[in-house]
Amino acid sequence: MNGPWLWLLAQTSSGNPPLSKAEQLVGWFNSNPMMGRGIAIFTVVAMAAAAIAKLTGNLDKIIGFVNKYRPKKRELTTADRDRLRQDLIDVVLGQVVNRLENSLHHKVRLDLKRQEERERIGRRDLPTVEIEDSSAPLIRREINPFETPAAPTPVEATVATVSLLARDDINGRLLILGEPGAGKTNELLAVAKTLLQQAKASADAPIPVIFELSEWSGDSDKTFADWLCEQLQDKYRVPLEVAKDWIEHNQLWPLLDGLDELRRVENTENTTDEELDHQRQAKQIQCMRSINVFLDRHPATAAVVCCRRQEYKALEVQGEYLKRLNGAIYLQALDDEQIRTYFENSNRGPLWDTVKNQPKLLTLARSPLFLLMLLVAYQGQPIRSPDELLDLYIEKQLDDLNNQGAYPPGRAPTKAQTHHYLTWLATKLEQQEVTELLIEHLQPSWLDRERDQIFYRLSSGLSFGLSFGLIGGLLGGLLFGLVGGLLFGLSLGLLGRLDKVEPAENLFFSWQKASNSGLLFGLSLGLLFGLGSRLSFGLSFGLLFGLSFGLRTSEVEIDNKQFPNQGIKTSIKTGLFVGLSFGLLGGLLGGLLGGLDSRLSFGLSFGLLGGLSFGWGAVIQHGWLRFVLHRSGASPWDYNKFLEHAENHRFIQRVGGRYRFAHDLLRKRFAAGYQPRYP
């Protein structure tokens, strides 16, 4: 028999008073210094290896390998799932209400006229089926009700679109069609608001969530259900197992916006416009077929799809349509009476006399969005197309001094700068095939010039290198540490290991949770433990244990971006907590290996290493990226302030920490590279 039991037996047989467990453990380590140092060295090596694996991008592979053979994690309880459901409803409802209240269409108080167009959907390919009638020896045939196109039917103004979904013949599956600027997305938001309120009140109602079809991946290896699950995980951090369960049990109501926006394909110099149109249409067809297959496999799942009428009709010509939907409505253009009434209610009655005598202006005014822009920007200029009206609206908003206020007087970007920054942002959103911007999700791949990418890699690599050099200097000598750290940091940058900024959002620290009970309980425990051995050791352990109460993961937390750049700010707090935890543990290990100097060097080294690996590294990368973007002229330094400035001009709409252009047509116009006529 050896080890602590042999040491304890020797102490007991010597006639000394019984020792506490803490005294037994400390005494055994004191009598076996090699064992204590071995454990400390093993822990040091393991922590260093984990930190380096994290920084080099291999930690996920290691964790995946370990997870494969370790016991399965705790399964989500019914209470967890119920809380996820309710939290998701609250988050999506808040976003929908915010978007409705701040939309451009909200400024146009008009009741849009709608008509049903059942011929746009339905099972047109349904074959004639012979069915035996048990009451007679005759054979009757089932007739496809959509073979003969039905005449469009007006929808009563008193019947809301959401009420149509409840009809037995539609059963929650609806297509919303309209012209550009007609208010399709706004109509979808209004439907979503009511459905979310119903889901909040009833646990049996499915969860309506808006998905942007412009972000559909088109991956042939994944089903449409897989894409929906990935979207829920990426945007709201819904666990995949929960998302799949919702879909399988018809608890998700997909509201699919922007089928017509799914037109982005790889453009090369040798590709003709005709070939591009063909590729874009092929992508839309692929998506439409995926939706049909999804609805086939989930016959009890409801769905709503929005699309421009012209693009949808072009797909119909190819024999493609949403055959698994049960109803379709078309948002009609405004008529003369609606336009005249709107001008009069806005105290611009004479403008109607001008518009009604100009056919091109009148055509534009039949769109609610363009009607608002005419009201804001038209001063008698010749306008022949939607693009010209959008240009005029942009110039008018930039000139309007009432849209200032985000910056102190004299500090705001010039009109040319504002336009340039928005043009760059719109272009990048188009290239990334996303509709929203999260500041913390800016990536080095957004840098246009190769020299800017190299500058970013060198700068961030040197920053990491200096940090590693400090760590190495504390542990093994200043010269050795600086040289090794700089070489390691530069290799990370030059090899592209820092080309992705990943904020530490899945692990965060709550001071409120820690201070409410964790610190008091931990320090009390540490004091008791310290009385039995060393007070400093016990208090350090207690502090670390208490702070752990504030460490939280997002495994069962819906991601709610409540303020700008939330991910980076969370990373700062995460790095602070992990750095403090590593520092305390490093100090304790230093105490086992040496004296006060060892505690200090180990504590600082491991604190810095932990902070860099879990939060601060992303902060460094993000800071350098923002600097390089500003240095290249692509974006302002204070992006939060600029986006508030753009929001005042009604170019940008903010929902919590997410930003999007006030309308897709505005985003497209900025992305088109339009250059305003500034004096």
Side-chain angles (χ1 to χ4, degrees):
M1 184 169 57
N2 51 26
W5 301 110
L6 181 60
W7 180 87
L8 178 59
L9 180 60
Q11 293 295 318
T12 304
S13 61
S14 66
N16 294 329
L19 301 177
S20 68
K21 291 183 177 180
E23 289 175 327
Q24 297 170 20
L25 182 62
V26 173
W28 181 76
F29 273 117
N30 288 335
S31 63
N32 296 272
M34 293 304 296
M35 180 63 70
R37 291 178 181 176
I39 294 175
I41 292 172
F42 174 79
T43 306
V44 169
V45 173
M47 292 171 62
I52 294 173
K54 170 69 176 177
L55 292 171
T56 56
N58 293 312
L59 184 60
D60 291 339
K61 297 179 181 178
I62 297 174
I63 292 175
F65 177 80
V66 173
N67 287 340
K68 184 177 180 181
Y69 296 100
R70 74 169 185 172
K72 291 185 178 180
K73 64 180 180 180
R74 172 183 74 87
E75 292 188 0
L76 296 177
T77 64
T78 302
D80 290 334
R81 294 173 182 270
D82 290 342
R83 181 160 58 85
L84 281 170
R85 168 192 163 84
Q86 196 59 47
D87 289 350
L88 179 62
I89 291 172
D90 290 339
V91 168
V92 177
L93 180 58
Q95 293 177 351
V96 167
V97 170
N98 194 312
R99 288 181 62 184
L100 275 172
E101 291 178 349
N102 294 287
S103 68
L104 291 177
H105 284 281
H106 186 68
K107 303 298 180 182
V108 184
R109 302 285 185 170
L110 291 168
D111 292 326
L112 299 178
K113 296 181 179 180
R114 297 153 295 157
Q115 67 182 26
E116 286 196 65
E117 297 187 349
R118 294 288 298 274
E119 73 275 11
R120 300 294 176 201
I121 43 80
R123 302 191 61 178
R124 303 181 194 176
D125 61 341
L126 186 68
T128 301
V129 180
E130 295 185 348
I131 302 177
E132 293 187 6
D133 189 345
S134 58
S135 62
L138 302 177
I139 300 295
R140 60 185 176 86
R141 295 180 180 272
E142 182 182 44
I143 305 300
N144 179 4
F146 302 115
E147 282 184 343
T148 304
T153 306
V155 179
E156 294 292 336
T158 57
V159 178
T161 299
V162 70
S163 300
L164 295 175
L165 292 170
R167 273 184 8 195
D168 291 340
D169 59 331
I170 293 180
N171 196 26
R173 295 186 172 187
L174 183 68
L175 172 66
I176 300 177
L177 297 172
E179 307 301 336
K184 300 179 295 300
T185 297
N186 215 57
E187 193 73 10
L188 187 67
L189 289 170
V191 168
K193 179 181 177 181
T194 303
L195 294 178
L196 284 162
Q197 291 169 339
Q198 294 174 358
K200 189 176 178 67
S202 172
D204 296 328
I207 310 167
V209 179
I210 296 178
F211 297 91
E212 303 287 349
L213 286 178
S214 60
E215 300 180 16
W216 180 68
S217 59
D219 192 338
S220 59
D221 296 332
K222 297 178 181 178
T223 65
F224 195 79
D226 292 335
W227 178 76
L228 293 175
C229 291
E230 290 175 355
Q231 288 286 298
L232 287 172
Q233 185 182 52
D234 292 344
K235 293 186 180 297
Y236 302 104
R237 209 172 290 147
V238 176
L240 286 176
E241 60 178 292
V242 175
K244 291 178 181 178
D245 185 69
W246 284 345
I247 290 176
E248 289 302 320
H249 292 87
N250 307 307
Q251 283 297 299
L252 184 69
W253 193 329
L255 308 179
L256 308 172
D257 192 19
L259 178 61
D260 52 278
E261 293 293 324
L262 192 64
R263 295 178 58 82
R264 300 175 192 131
V265 294
E266 293 295 331
N267 186 6
T268 62
E269 295 182 357
N270 298 326
T271 306
T272 65
D273 292 341
E274 184 178 353
E275 290 172 337
L276 281 175
D277 287 339
H278 179 74
Q279 293 176 19
R280 290 165 179 160
Q281 197 172 79
K283 194 171 183 180
Q284 290 175 331
I285 290 173
Q286 183 186 3
C287 181
M288 186 180 286
R289 290 176 177 176
S290 296
I291 295 173
N292 285 333
V293 171
F294 169 75
L295 295 177
D296 257 345
R297 293 177 178 175
H298 302 87
T301 295
V304 180
V305 182
C306 282
C307 185
R308 290 183 186 174
R309 193 188 199 195
Q310 181 178 354
E311 278 80 355
Y312 190 83
K313 290 177 70 174
L315 296 174
E316 285 184 307
V317 172
Q318 302 295 323
E320 304 290 340
Y321 51 95
L322 292 166
K323 58 188 71 175
R324 302 304 179 244
L325 297 183
N326 302 323
I329 61 170
Y330 169 60
L331 304 182
Q332 294 178 287
L334 301 176
D335 58 31
D336 290 359
E337 183 60 25
Q338 287 176 302
I339 299 172
R340 183 189 64 78
T341 302
Y342 178 73
F343 282 136
E344 290 180 353
N345 292 339
S346 304
N347 297 320
R348 295 289 300 276
L351 187 55
W352 165 243
D353 295 329
T354 301
V355 170
K356 71 178 182 181
N357 294 318
Q358 298 188 43
K360 292 184 178 180
L361 277 183
L362 184 58
T363 299
L364 289 173
R366 300 200 185 281
S367 160
L369 176 67
F370 294 147
L371 178 60
L372 170 65
M373 291 183 173
L374 278 172
L375 185 68
V376 170
Y378 184 69
Q379 298 293 334
Q381 307 93 323
I383 301 175
R384 296 175 294 273
S385 68
D387 286 347
E388 290 185 358
L389 179 56
L390 286 165
D391 295 348
L392 187 63
Y393 174 79
I394 292 171
E395 290 186 12
K396 178 64 171 61
Q397 291 298 92
L398 289 173
D399 284 329
D400 194 341
L401 296 179
N402 294 324
N403 297 330
Q404 305 296 325
Y407 289 90
R411 302 291 298 276
T414 65
K415 293 185 294 183
Q417 287 175 322
T418 299
H419 189 278
H420 173 71
Y421 294 151
L422 289 172
T423 296
W424 178 85
L425 176 58
T427 302
K428 291 304 174 183
L429 292 177
E430 289 280 315
Q431 291 175 354
Q432 300 298 318
E433 299 188 0
V434 294
T435 57
E436 291 182 333
L437 169 71
L438 285 163
I439 297 177
E440 59 266 42
H441 286 181
L442 289 169
Q443 296 296 333
S445 60
W446 289 33
L447 294 168
D448 293 312
R449 298 179 298 188
E450 184 178 358
R451 65 180 183 182
D452 292 328
Q453 294 178 0
I454 294 175
F455 183 79
Y456 160 78
R457 290 173 180 173
L458 289 174
S459 302
S460 54
L462 281 172
S463 298
F464 275 91
L466 288 173
S467 302
F468 295 142
L470 178 59
I471 294 171
L474 290 170
L475 294 177
L478 185 59
L479 181 61
F480 171 78
L482 284 177
V483 173
L486 287 173
L487 289 175
F488 181 65
L490 284 173
S491 66
L492 287 178
L494 294 176
L495 293 176
R497 305 306 303 182
L498 303 177
D499 282 356
K500 186 175 183 181
V501 182
E502 297 182 279
E505 298 181 85
N506 293 331
L507 178 71
F508 63 96
F509 181 74
S510 170
W511 284 107
Q512 182 180 3
K513 291 288 183 181
S515 60
N516 283 348
S517 57
L519 287 179
L520 179 61
F521 178 76
L523 290 176
S524 300
L525 180 65
L527 181 61
L528 292 174
F529 186 60
L531 292 176
S533 56
R534 299 180 189 174
L535 184 61
S536 60
F537 182 93
L539 289 178
S540 299
F541 173 81
L543 179 62
L544 179 60
F545 183 79
L547 286 174
S548 68
F549 278 68
L551 185 64
R552 307 185 66 190
T553 64
S554 58
E555 182 179 351
V556 289
E557 293 280 347
I558 294 297
D559 186 15
N560 185 12
K561 300 293 186 184
Q562 297 179 326
F563 50 86
N565 215 10
Q566 182 172 325
I568 295 299
K569 295 172 183 176
T570 300
S571 297
I572 295 175
K573 293 192 293 183
T574 300
L576 179 62
F577 172 77
V578 176
L580 182 59
S581 303
F582 272 48
L584 288 173
L585 184 56
L588 295 176
L589 295 174
L592 292 174
L593 293 173
L596 179 61
D597 292 341
S598 296
R599 288 186 184 183
L600 183 61
S601 60
F602 271 68
L604 290 175
S605 299
F606 280 88
L608 183 57
L609 187 61
L612 283 172
S613 304
F614 299 94
W616 291 344
V619 176
I620 292 175
Q621 290 176 264
H622 181 79
W624 276 114
L625 176 59
R626 293 276 293 276
F627 175 78
V628 177
L629 285 172
H630 176 59
R631 178 176 174 270
S632 68
S635 69
W637 173 247
D638 191 342
Y639 222 161
N640 297 9
K641 186 72 69 177
F642 171 73
L643 291 172
E644 181 185 348
H645 176 68
E647 187 180 14
N648 288 347
H649 285 80
R650 301 199 66 79
F651 296 140
I652 293 290
Q653 182 184 70
R654 182 169 78 89
V655 179
R658 303 173 183 273
Y659 295 91
R660 62 167 61 226
F661 278 84
H663 198 280
D664 287 339
L665 291 176
L666 268 177
R667 186 187 75 239
K668 288 181 175 296
R669 192 58 190 150
F670 275 111
Y674 158 70
Q675 296 296 325
R677 298 181 295 275
Y678 295 125

